[in-house]
């Protein structure tokens, strides 16, 4: 009886340790392997450390199994908190599609959604978070209800256009669905605000004394939004986490899969970005753009959710007023977590029921 009790105790302790590793420690081990990218010259420079993620797609009240919802949210919560504790960013940017069913929810369901988001992705008070709206949050352009847009703006503090200045770094966060280019109130207001930001940046670029309240200096801005800029498809994407074939060659539906060419040219001419970050595709892509005298790179940030890909990713970006550098970081792969649990469980069973018997 004592031998059976001891085996049972060893089995319970072993399973608890396996659970601790697979559901907690593994996130820290994998995430700690990534680091902040270095800049070529940081002397007398303030460096902004930005953690960028996209497409968390929290399930709502209508779709998906409750167990899948709990599992994916647990994974994202653990991964997010590990990034915050290990890398201690200055700021977090979430590039849209926070929710999977935001456009369909009533006000109470949406408020529950937002509370859940802030609980899962909780931050210390000294770390700021900025959110871009995605099509799953409020709907595509022609399906947006004014109330849905307003409640997202109010609860997530995400206006049509945000001009954020952190450590002399200018970051512009755009509502992609407002870039339709028609005469809707949302689009007209977004264009008005973009023009104001553009004029402000232009004045600031000519003389730092023209910068608002003299509280910052000019730096070429970084553009963040949910949609990619105009491209015909992901066929130009060669990153290891690019869409698989033949999906990669599927033509984009403009204004649904990417911004139109007209909207892209408008944004580039007004903002003059030195880099662009977006989400939406759930895959990685690096595109070099050239517009008149402005050349810059566009980064598609892969989804942060295991529901959308088996190897979720995020980006750590170091930014100063005149340069930036990007590291794309991986989260534990689904297959790695499952195989680790299976192998460790088999080794535990072998130890408890074989090695212990031989030792006796």
């Amino acid at each position: 009886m004592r031998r059976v009790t001891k085996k049972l105790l060893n089995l319970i302790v072993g399973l608890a340790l396996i659970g601790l590793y697979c559901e907690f420690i593994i996130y820290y081990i994998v995430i700690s392997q990534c680091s902040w990218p270095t800049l070529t010259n940081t002397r007398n420079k303030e460096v902004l450390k930005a953690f960028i993620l996209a497409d968390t797609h929290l399930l709502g009240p209508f779709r998906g199994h409750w167990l899948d919802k709990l599992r994916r949210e647990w994974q994202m919560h653990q991964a997010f908190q590990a990034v915050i504790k290990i890398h201690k960013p200055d700021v977090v940017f979430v590039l849209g599609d926070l929710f999977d069913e935001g456009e369909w929810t009533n006000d109470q369901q949406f408020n529950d959604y937002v509370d859940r988001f802030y609980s899962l992705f909780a931050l210390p008070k000294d770390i700021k978070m900025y959110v871009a709206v995605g099509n799953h949050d409020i709907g595509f352009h022609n399906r947006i209800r004014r109330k849905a847009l307003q409640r997202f703006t109010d609860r997530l503090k995400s206006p049509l256009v945000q001009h954020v200045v952190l450590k002399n770094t200018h970051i512009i966060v755009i509502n992609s669905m407002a870039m339709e280019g028609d005469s809707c109130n949302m689009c007209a207001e977004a264009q008005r605000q973009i023009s104001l930001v553009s004029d402000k940046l232009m004045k600031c670029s000519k003389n730092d004394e023209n910068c608002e309240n003299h509280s910052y200096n000019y730096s070429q801005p970084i553009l963040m939004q949910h949609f990619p800029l105009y491209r015909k498809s992901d066929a130009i994407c060669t990153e290891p986490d690019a869409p698989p074939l033949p999906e990669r060659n599927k033509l984009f539906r403009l204004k649904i899969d990417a911004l139109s060419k007209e909207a892209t040219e408008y944004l580039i001419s007004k903002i003059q970005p030195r880099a662009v970050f977006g989400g939406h595709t759930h895959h990685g892509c690096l595109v070099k753009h050239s517009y008149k005298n402005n050349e810059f790179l566009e980064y598609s940030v892969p989804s942060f959710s295991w529901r959308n890909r088996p190897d979720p990713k995020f980006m750590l970006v170091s930014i100063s007023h005149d340069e930036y550098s990007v590291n794309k970081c991986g989260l534990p792969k689904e297959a790695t977590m499952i195989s680790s649990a299976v192998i460790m469980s088999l080794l535990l069973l072998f130890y408890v029921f074989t090695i212990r018997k031989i030792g006796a």
Side-chain angles (χ1 to χ4, degrees):
M1 182 62 74
R2 287 183 178 177
R3 187 175 298 172
V4 172
T5 303
K6 195 170 184 179
K7 285 184 178 181
L8 182 60
L9 180 61
N10 286 332
L11 184 62
I12 292 172
V13 172
L15 289 174
L17 292 174
I18 292 172
L20 179 66
Y21 175 80
C22 293
E23 300 299 331
F24 184 78
I25 297 175
I26 191 171
Y27 296 97
Y28 287 82
I29 291 175
V30 173
I31 289 169
S32 65
Q33 295 174 27
C34 197
S35 60
W36 290 105
T38 56
L39 301 178
T40 56
N41 182 13
T42 58
R43 183 177 297 177
N44 299 324
K45 290 183 182 179
E46 287 189 295
V47 178
L48 179 69
K49 295 181 176 181
F51 164 26
I52 305 176
L53 66 152
D55 296 279
T56 53
H57 281 272
L58 299 184
L59 285 173
F62 306 111
R63 301 197 302 192
H65 192 275
W66 65 269
L67 185 59
D68 180 52
K69 180 190 296 187
L70 290 177
R71 176 64 183 159
R72 301 315 180 191
E73 290 183 2
W74 169 261
Q75 290 174 313
M76 288 190 287
H77 171 73
Q78 292 292 354
F80 184 86
Q81 296 305 324
V83 174
I84 297 302
K85 290 172 184 174
I86 292 171
H87 297 297
K88 297 178 173 58
D90 298 315
V91 62
V92 177
F93 290 96
V94 187
L95 303 187
D97 281 358
L98 288 62
F99 313 125
D100 194 61
E101 307 168 33
E103 60 183 304
W104 303 327
T105 55
N106 60 36
D107 288 345
Q108 182 58 54
Q109 291 167 335
F110 183 78
N111 287 333
D112 292 342
Y113 235 158
V114 174
D115 292 341
R116 218 165 82 232
F117 173 81
Y118 280 128
S119 175
L120 292 170
F121 303 103
L123 286 170
K125 292 182 179 180
D126 60 330
I127 299 179
K128 299 177 181 294
M129 176 186 283
Y130 296 93
V131 170
V133 64
N135 55 283
H136 276 269
D137 299 318
I138 62 172
F140 284 109
H141 174 270
N142 292 332
R143 296 170 57 183
I144 297 174
R145 293 173 286 126
R146 180 177 296 180
K147 191 174 185 179
L149 173 63
Q150 191 60 51
R151 70 188 186 186
F152 190 94
T153 300
D154 293 342
R155 288 298 312 274
L156 279 303
K157 299 179 177 61
S158 177
L160 295 173
V161 180
Q162 298 182 78
H163 179 196
V164 180
V165 184
L166 300 168
K167 295 187 176 180
N168 280 329
T169 294
H170 294 254
I171 298 171
I172 314 298
V173 185
I174 301 289
N175 179 331
S176 295
M177 281 67 69
M179 294 293 103
E180 187 80 3
D182 61 11
S183 57
C184 78
N185 292 337
M186 176 182 68
C187 299
E189 177 60 22
Q191 288 192 350
R192 188 187 72 83
Q193 293 184 26
I194 289 170
S195 292
L196 290 175
V197 170
S198 177
D199 292 344
K200 188 189 303 183
L201 289 171
M202 182 65 70
K203 291 178 182 178
C204 188
S205 67
K206 294 178 179 178
N207 189 330
D208 285 343
E209 292 186 0
N210 294 330
C211 296
E212 194 172 78
N213 299 326
H214 308 293
S215 58
Y216 54 76
N217 298 321
Y218 175 77
S219 65
Q220 194 175 0
I222 291 174
L223 176 63
M224 296 197 187
Q225 59 182 356
H226 181 60
F227 283 178
L229 296 176
Y230 171 78
R231 58 179 183 252
K232 293 182 179 180
S233 71
D234 275 335
I236 59 176
C237 306
T238 58
E239 299 284 283
D241 49 13
L245 294 171
E247 179 185 345
R248 192 183 309 175
N249 294 326
K250 185 178 178 181
L251 293 178
F252 275 4
R253 300 161 296 173
L254 296 184
K255 304 182 182 181
I256 294 178
D257 297 319
L259 292 184
S260 68
K261 187 174 183 180
E262 293 76 17
T264 296
E265 291 178 349
Y266 171 78
L267 278 176
I268 294 172
S269 65
K270 288 291 187 178
I271 304 300
Q272 294 289 310
R274 55 172 156 154
V276 176
F277 293 86
H280 191 52
T281 67
H282 299 172
H283 300 290
C285 191
L286 180 62
V287 182
K288 184 175 182 179
H289 292 273
S290 181
Y291 180 80
K292 294 184 178 179
N293 295 323
N294 187 18
E295 291 189 352
F296 61 91
L297 294 176
E298 178 189 9
Y299 300 82
S300 289
V301 183
S303 174
F304 196 73
S305 173
W306 282 262
R307 286 189 69 244
N308 297 324
R309 54 183 305 115
D311 57 342
K313 304 286 179 65
F314 64 95
M315 289 184 176
L316 297 178
V317 186
S318 300
I319 313 170
S320 70
H321 76 277
D322 61 351
E323 64 174 320
Y324 73 92
S325 185
V326 178
N327 273 351
K328 186 187 295 182
C329 308
L331 298 177
K333 295 181 179 180
E334 190 90 271
T336 301
M337 292 189 284
I338 294 173
S339 60
S340 297
V342 170
I343 292 171
M344 293 170 74
S345 297
L346 291 174
L347 290 174
L348 173 64
L349 292 172
F350 181 75
Y351 171 78
V352 170
F353 293 105
T354 306
I355 300 298
R356 301 292 295 178
K357 187 176 180 180
I358 294 172

